[in-house]
Amino acid sequence: MNISEMLSYGFMQRALVGGALIAILCSVLGVFLVLRRLSLIGDGLAHVTFGSVALALFFRLHSFYMTLAIIPVVLGSALGILKLAQKARIYGDAAIGIVSALGIATGVMLASMAGGFNVDLFSYLFGNILSITSSELVIAAVLFVIVLGGVGIFYNDLFASTFDEELAKSSGIDTERINAVLVLMTALTVVLAMKVVGIMLISALLILPAVSALQVAKGFRTAIVCAAGIGVGTVVIGISLSFAMNLPTGATIVMINFLTFITAFAARTVIRRR
Amino acid sequence: MSAALEIKNLCMGYHGIDTLKEVSFSVKSGDYLGICGPNGSGKSTMIKAILGLLTPSRGEISLLGTPQTRFSEWQRIGYLPQGLQFFNPHFPATVDEVIRLGRLAGKKFPKRFSREDAVAVERTMEWMDISHIKGCMIGELSGGLRQRVLLARALVNDPELLVLDEPTTALDPETRESFYQLIYEMNRERGTTVLLVTHDTATIGKYASHLLYLDKKVIFYGDFDSFCTSEEMTELFGKHGQHLVCHRH
């Protein structure tokens, strides 16, 4: 099958556009999260998404409404992680662990009450970007504008508080507000990304393009642009390859990302030895 | 001359334990204040309270004539800590990107850099003789150069008050000396008020005009020369302490 034939399918066009938008968001936010050692927040929020999807399926919500219903639950959980870490005097990873476990437990319990896991729940667990509908693409585009706009507006504050929170505070930056903005944008992105790689593999899309970019980038802005480029490239190649070779899309994207990371790591090692 | 910093009855506590008790003093514009005291005496806690990083349990702090709780002109204050809180040697920031971050202080939302900011960064790098490393990654620099870059970040706004919290702990003696010379020149030539926290009393003796000896409360506060002849000096450093502490360059 050639490229023009592949691109002639409407579902492929939607998948490539949707995948690229989501990849940019994941990669850009991923750089901030990885450098703040908050990479696993994506995993935690994905587990909350799993619980929310199970709840939505339990009430037989249409997938369009399902996405809209999940967003406030995941946003609330993201703020819950922050508040737990601040108020309950526990470390961020423990707070992520608590919310993550609660999400999984809710999902398993609801799935059990509904008579076991069904095909729909599995498609959210492992993703199916090829099934993205036009209305879901519209939601993705709107959230893309909101999240990327948020990163653009708060870019310098996000950079400063990621570099060193205490120095940022001493410059008058409200780091608590900036942290809240970052986790809320991550929560929105996680909801979107579950369609691409599935709940199980979301953290890979947040972490791998970012760490690949960090191997080679010289400068913070370069790291962000580089991560976005890697994210889009790997998602587009992954979707195309999975379609051509009849492979699971989410897993293919993750594998391509991993190969990119290995290549970037090797390139860095070679450059350093010179 | 007006006060750059005024502290009245400052009290700080943590889990019911006092870390600072009724601390009061005032620093005039252009002073160079050395702050010393034993470990756990509350030096860094006080610095954090001055910068709004910690909230006092009681007392008042006034920065450049404005109550600290209402202070918003953070570009008038430069801060250099002992080191970065959780420094990541692989952080992908170049030297000029790090220095430019200092220009965010006092900017209004949405914070954008201008041509003026770029000029200020270039000028500071030239003055600090670090222009040649502007494109280097911060994590690839030696400890001394990295502290110099962070000092440039603190100075990029040409602050009226410079707060240094044990800034040379990880530096070799030669680098430390050139570092303190630079601060001294700033104080003498530009009239920058300096607050320097250090265990190194000899450095205070050499460069500071005033000394604050803190041990949860103020043990001594005054000009350096009167400290050298005070009972407190003899109590703290012994009869022969004058030779160690009070020699001037």
Side-chain angles (χ1 to χ4, degrees):
Chain A
M1 180 178 293
N2 59 38
I3 292 172
S4 61
E5 191 185 342
M6 187 175 78
L7 291 176
S8 67
Y9 295 113
F11 69 91
M12 273 305 283
Q13 293 165 5
R14 287 194 298 274
L16 289 170
V17 173
L21 295 182
I22 293 159
I24 290 172
L25 295 185
C26 283
S27 314
V28 170
L29 291 174
V31 173
F32 294 106
L33 295 172
V34 165
L35 289 170
R36 287 165 170 248
R37 297 172 200 194
L38 272 177
S39 321
L40 288 179
I41 199 169
D43 221 26
L45 291 175
H47 292 164
V48 172
T49 310
F50 170 72
S52 314
V53 167
L55 187 67
L57 288 174
F58 188 77
F59 288 109
R60 299 179 192 286
L61 285 183
H62 181 271
S63 71
F64 176 76
Y65 298 109
M66 185 187 286
T67 309
L68 293 180
I70 289 168
I71 288 172
V73 177
V74 182
L75 288 179
S77 305
L79 288 178
I81 289 172
L82 268 190
K83 286 290 165 201
L84 258 179
Q86 285 163 8
K87 306 284 179 195
R89 283 194 279 173
I90 54 176
Y91 287 111
D93 58 345
I96 291 170
I98 291 170
V99 173
S100 169
L102 191 66
I104 287 276
T106 308
V108 171
M109 203 171 272
L110 286 168
S112 163
M113 285 161 67
F117 289 93
N118 57 33
V119 177
D120 279 346
L121 195 54
F122 268 104
S123 79
Y124 283 101
L125 277 175
F126 300 104
N128 188 6
I129 187 72
L130 300 181
S131 71
I132 192 167
T133 62
S134 299
S135 51
E136 283 170 332
L137 190 60
V138 171
I139 295 179
V142 170
L143 292 183
F144 173 82
V145 171
I146 292 171
V147 175
L148 209 65
V151 172
I153 289 169
F154 292 104
Y155 174 79
N156 285 318
D157 282 350
L158 280 166
F159 176 22
S161 52
T162 302
F163 180 65
D164 190 89
E165 203 161 316
E166 192 178 276
L167 277 182
K169 269 188 196 170
S170 74
S171 299
I173 293 171
D174 185 347
T175 53
E176 280 185 20
R177 189 180 69 158
I178 292 300
N179 290 343
V181 166
L182 180 64
V183 296
L184 288 176
M185 290 192 300
T186 306
L188 282 177
T189 305
V190 164
V191 175
L192 282 177
M194 75 178 172
K195 198 77 186 175
V196 186
V197 286
I199 289 161
M200 303 296 283
L201 300 173
I202 280 174
S203 58
L205 210 53
L206 282 167
I207 297 170
L208 281 166
V211 293
S212 301
L214 292 175
Q215 299 300 311
V216 290
K218 292 260 180 199
F220 196 75
R221 196 174 286 270
T222 321
I224 299 268
V225 173
C226 200
I230 291 172
V232 172
T234 52
V235 164
V236 167
I237 293 170
I239 290 172
S240 309
L241 209 63
S242 72
F243 179 74
M245 299 175 74
N246 198 23
L247 294 167
T249 317
T252 310
I253 291 169
V254 173
M255 287 301 178
I256 301 287
N257 260 298
F258 182 69
L259 288 175
T260 309
F261 168 68
I262 294 290
T263 310
F265 175 70
R268 184 190 185 182
T269 311
V270 170
I271 291 166
R272 282 195 160 187
R273 279 186 187 162
R274 275 184 187 171
Chain B
M1 207 175 260
S2 62
L5 170 69
E6 206 165 358
I7 293 183
K8 280 185 197 162
N9 308 319
L10 181 69
C11 295
M12 304 277 292
Y14 189 68
H15 289 307
I17 301 165
D18 287 333
T19 47
L20 285 176
K21 283 185 274 189
E22 300 292 338
V23 172
S24 299
F25 64 93
S26 171
V27 182
K28 286 204 299 287
S29 289
D31 278 358
Y32 189 142
L33 175 67
I35 303 167
C36 62
N39 285 334
S41 59
K43 304 182 294 292
S44 292
T45 305
M46 186 181 73
I47 292 297
K48 285 187 164 68
I50 291 169
L51 296 167
L53 304 174
L54 290 175
T55 311
S57 40
R58 205 154 57 82
E60 290 167 27
I61 300 170
S62 174
L63 286 169
L64 302 163
T66 306
Q68 194 254 26
T69 45
R70 286 196 278 121
F71 189 79
S72 59
E73 297 171 307
W74 293 103
Q75 73 277 16
R76 295 173 72 190
I77 298 180
Y79 170 52
L80 176 63
Q82 185 177 344
L84 295 171
Q85 209 177 5
F86 302 107
F87 182 64
N88 173 2
H90 306 298
F91 198 96
T94 55
V95 166
D96 59 341
E97 280 181 325
V98 170
I99 297 171
R100 198 167 52 220
L101 285 179
R103 295 288 292 183
L104 283 179
K107 276 199 187 292
K108 299 272 181 286
F109 178 83
K111 297 173 182 174
R112 289 280 169 268
F113 292 121
S114 61
R115 176 83 200 122
E116 203 181 308
D117 296 316
V119 170
V121 171
E122 289 293 333
R123 193 181 53 223
T124 311
M125 284 194 297
E126 268 172 40
W127 177 54
M128 304 228 13
D129 198 19
I130 50 173
S131 297
H132 60 290
I133 55 163
K134 68 183 276 189
C136 292
M137 304 282 271
I138 184 84
E140 290 170 359
L141 304 177
S142 65
L145 263 181
R146 195 186 308 141
Q147 267 314 70
R148 212 173 169 85
V149 171
L150 292 178
L151 179 63
R153 181 205 161 279
L155 298 179
V156 71
N157 292 311
D158 205 0
E160 290 159 58
L161 173 63
L162 181 61
V163 182
L164 309 161
D165 188 1
E166 299 190 45
T168 59
T169 307
L171 307 185
D172 61 75
E174 201 179 322
T175 315
R176 196 182 307 161
E177 195 55 32
S178 70
F179 188 90
Y180 283 128
Q181 273 294 339
L182 194 73
I183 305 292
Y184 185 64
E185 278 166 30
M186 279 200 60
N187 173 252
R188 295 293 295 263
E189 289 165 20
R190 298 186 176 202
T192 309
T193 312
V194 178
L195 296 190
L196 167 69
V197 173
T198 179
H199 281 289
D200 185 359
T201 44
T203 298
I204 296 180
K206 199 169 174 185
Y207 297 111
S209 60
H210 289 71
L211 179 135
L212 170 69
Y213 195 96
L214 203 65
D215 193 0
K216 296 189 178 172
K217 56 185 182 179
V218 176
I219 303 292
F220 178 89
Y221 178 65
D223 65 74
F224 194 78
D225 294 330
S226 42
F227 174 71
C228 291
T229 52
S230 68
E231 281 176 21
E232 286 90 345
M233 203 284 295
T234 316
E235 266 174 44
L236 292 165
F237 297 100
K239 267 198 298 191
H240 305 293
Q242 210 168 18
H243 300 294
L244 290 170
V245 182
C246 295
H247 62 89
R248 292 274 196 180
H249 49 112

